[in-house]
């Protein structure tokens, strides 16, 4: 059985603020919104906002300056080393990435994806499935799902390699804006077709990274499932001790 644990509210808020530092919404050297402004903007309690800011200060994204408030420091060097599969799923240029497109078309929405997209289980969604290869060996299988109404006129249903990332296509053609991503990591046995594409023997599980990309209102725009053969993975993270 796979268990998915959503991070607490203060962590999700910290992740949102961090993304806004990364995309230039909060440039280095500027003040972040006050606690009151963040409470109003995100509809969260003051203790939640305070914990999120403290987490970002601890990790080097923000700092307190007497007389100035909370200032953006920018991206800590250690963050560059972190694995960002969610961002890769949104921004991968298929025409330049090593691998091949193995499926494009409408499919019944998988149960694990339906709830994230807010769709009934009998709905159809568009899937783009890309097999990433490294040194001629299958490394990961990325299945990206989109509500049918969102992809009209975007070219995402074209069975040709996509030039530029999915995020770029949707933001340019549908005037939507990706705001934040939630990643849920679990383990499961692969389906037969998944195991075949990944070249996996029977009985070996996969790590599933379910990437839910949302706009500022929390509406999911895209759900991608990144499958990684568990017997070929070594996960590493670096963090500061407070």
């Amino acid at each position: 059985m796979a268990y998915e644990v959503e991070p607490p509210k203060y962590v999700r808020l910290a992740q949102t603020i961090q993304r806004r530092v990364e995309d230039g919404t909060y440039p280095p050297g500027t003040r972040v919104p006050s606690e009151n402004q963040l409470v109003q903007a995100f509809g969260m309690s003051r203790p939640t906002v305070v914990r999120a800011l403290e987490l970002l200060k601890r990790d080097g994204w923000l700092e307190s300056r007497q007389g100035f408030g909370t200032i953006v420091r920018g991206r800590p060097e250690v963050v560059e080393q972190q694995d960002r599969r969610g961002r890769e799923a949104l921004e991968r240029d298929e025409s330049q990435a090593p691998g091949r497109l193995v499926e494009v078309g409408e499919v019944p929405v998988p149960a694990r994806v339906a709830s994230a997209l807010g769709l009934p289980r009998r709905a159809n969604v568009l899937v783009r499935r890309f097999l990433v290869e490294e040194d001629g060996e299958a490394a990961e299988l990325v299945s990206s799902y989109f509500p049918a109404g969102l992809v009209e006129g975007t070219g995402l249903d074209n069975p040709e390699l996509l030039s530029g990332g999915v995020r770029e296509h949707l933001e340019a053609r549908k005037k939507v804006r990706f705001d934040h991503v939630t990643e849920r990591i679990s383990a499961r046995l692969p389906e037969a077709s998944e195991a075949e594409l990944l070249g996996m023997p029977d009985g070996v599980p996969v790590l599933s990274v379910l990437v839910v990309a949302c706009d500022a209102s929390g509406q999911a725009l895209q759900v991608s499932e990144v499958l990684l053969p568990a017997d070929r993975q070594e996960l590493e993270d670096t963090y500061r001790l407070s």
Side-chain angles (χ1 to χ4, degrees):
M1 179 180 295
Y3 294 91
E4 297 178 355
V5 180
E6 190 173 35
K9 287 183 179 180
Y10 78 94
V11 174
R12 300 202 302 270
L13 177 57
Q15 291 170 337
T16 298
I17 295 173
Q18 175 184 315
R19 282 186 289 270
R20 294 188 179 188
V21 173
E22 291 180 299
D23 68 18
T25 303
Y26 302 151
T30 62
R31 293 174 56 183
V32 298
S34 68
E35 291 178 8
N36 285 338
Q37 290 171 324
L38 291 172
V39 167
Q40 293 296 320
F42 294 99
M44 294 186 177
S45 68
R46 183 178 297 276
T48 296
V49 169
V50 170
R51 290 192 71 184
L53 294 176
E54 289 301 319
L55 180 61
L56 290 166
K57 292 173 188 176
R58 186 200 71 186
D59 288 346
W61 291 88
L62 308 176
E63 66 177 332
S64 294
R65 292 184 188 174
Q66 189 171 4
F68 289 92
T70 302
I71 306 299
V72 177
R73 293 183 62 186
R75 173 191 286 267
E77 183 178 350
V78 69
V79 173
E80 299 290 350
Q81 303 171 11
Q82 294 182 356
D83 195 3
R84 293 293 185 86
R85 298 194 184 275
R87 184 177 294 276
E88 289 177 5
L90 293 175
E91 299 181 356
R92 176 177 287 110
D93 186 333
E94 294 173 351
S95 66
Q96 301 296 322
R100 55 193 174 93
L101 192 62
V102 295
E103 182 182 0
V104 178
E106 281 199 3
V107 297
V109 61
R112 57 186 174 275
V113 174
S115 58
L117 285 175
L119 295 175
R121 294 196 176 187
R122 295 183 180 179
N124 284 347
V125 290
L126 177 76
V127 64
R128 292 186 69 87
R129 187 164 284 127
F130 191 85
L131 184 67
V132 180
E133 298 175 331
E134 295 178 358
D135 299 324
E137 181 181 44
E140 61 187 69
L141 181 62
V142 184
S143 301
S144 296
Y145 301 90
F146 310 89
L150 184 64
V151 299
E152 184 177 352
T154 64
L156 292 179
D157 55 354
N158 191 322
E160 301 294 331
L161 290 174
L162 189 67
S163 179
V166 169
R167 175 182 178 180
E168 177 185 336
H169 270 64
L170 286 176
E171 289 189 338
R173 291 163 174 79
K174 303 300 286 191
K175 307 306 179 186
V176 296
R177 186 175 187 275
F178 286 78
D179 180 78
H180 60 277
V181 171
T182 299
E183 296 184 9
R184 304 169 185 168
I185 302 176
S186 59
R188 65 175 176 85
L189 288 175
E191 298 174 3
S193 60
E194 295 168 341
E196 182 179 359
L197 284 168
L198 289 167
M200 298 174 60
D202 293 341
V204 176
V206 289
L207 294 179
S208 166
V209 183
L210 195 68
V211 181
V212 184
C214 302
D215 62 17
S217 73
Q219 174 64 49
L221 303 173
Q222 171 184 344
V223 174
S224 295
E225 184 177 31
V226 183
L227 295 184
L228 306 146
D231 60 342
R232 305 175 203 163
Q233 302 306 310
E234 181 176 337
L235 303 180
E236 179 178 335
D237 192 13
T238 304
Y239 58 93
R240 288 188 174 90
L241 296 175
S242 56

